[in-house]
Amino acid sequence: VKLGPIQYQSLWKNEKGYQRPAELATVRLRVMVEVLSNLGEYVPDQRYLDLRGATYLFGGEQCDELLYEHVDTGVLSYSKTMKRPLSFLQPYIGEIALNPLGLGDTVKTN
């Protein structure tokens, strides 16, 4: 990679599914715009807006049934199983929740 007068070898060039910092920042910005543009859809009940580091999954006919809850006691955690952060969705969407990108890694879920 050549960036102005600086040239370096990317350590991640052969890794599948890896995003460079600028790509990751772009994805995060797109997600933030999506969420803020549709905040009423994502947060229909403003009582939960002030909670940080938490994940809630609601279901039922009126979306008033709490299916999953994780409140982080630390920093930057949104699932009880951060090695597979979406595994809590497995009962609702199936095995795809364990490896949604289809990466050939060796993380064990049990």
Side-chain angles (χ1 to χ4, degrees), residues 3-67:
L3 184 62
I6 302 170
Q7 190 168 351
Y8 65 93
Q9 180 91 11
S10 299
L11 300 175
W12 56 81
K13 68 180 179 180
N14 295 324
E15 292 186 31
K16 181 181 175 190
Y18 181 84
Q19 292 180 317
R20 293 178 292 249
E23 293 170 331
L24 185 56
T26 302
V27 170
R28 287 181 176 167
L29 182 59
R30 261 193 251 140
V31 170
M32 183 180 73
V33 169
E34 161 68 23
V35 169
L36 292 177
S37 298
N38 298 294
L39 190 61
E41 187 72 27
Y42 289 113
V43 187
D45 189 340
Q46 299 291 317
R47 290 180 294 167
Y48 302 107
L49 189 60
D50 65 333
L51 295 176
R52 299 175 123 196
T55 299
Y56 297 94
L57 180 62
F58 292 95
E61 288 185 29
Q62 302 295 320
C63 288
D64 56 355
E65 179 186 348
L66 182 62
L67 303 175

Side-chain angles (χ1 to χ4, degrees), residues 51-106:
L51 295 176
R52 299 175 123 196
T55 299
Y56 297 94
L57 180 62
F58 292 95
E61 288 185 29
Q62 302 295 320
C63 288
D64 56 355
E65 179 186 348
L66 182 62
L67 303 175
Y68 175 85
E69 173 183 23
H70 173 73
V71 179
D72 184 28
T73 57
V75 177
L76 299 176
S77 175
Y78 52 89
S79 173
K80 294 173 188 161
T81 55
M82 284 306 291
K83 287 185 180 181
R84 281 282 182 248
L86 299 179
S87 63
F88 72 91
L89 291 172
Q90 186 179 7
Y92 311 103
I93 66 171
E95 294 294 315
I96 190 74
L98 300 178
N99 192 356
L101 297 178
L103 300 177
D105 58 33
T106 58

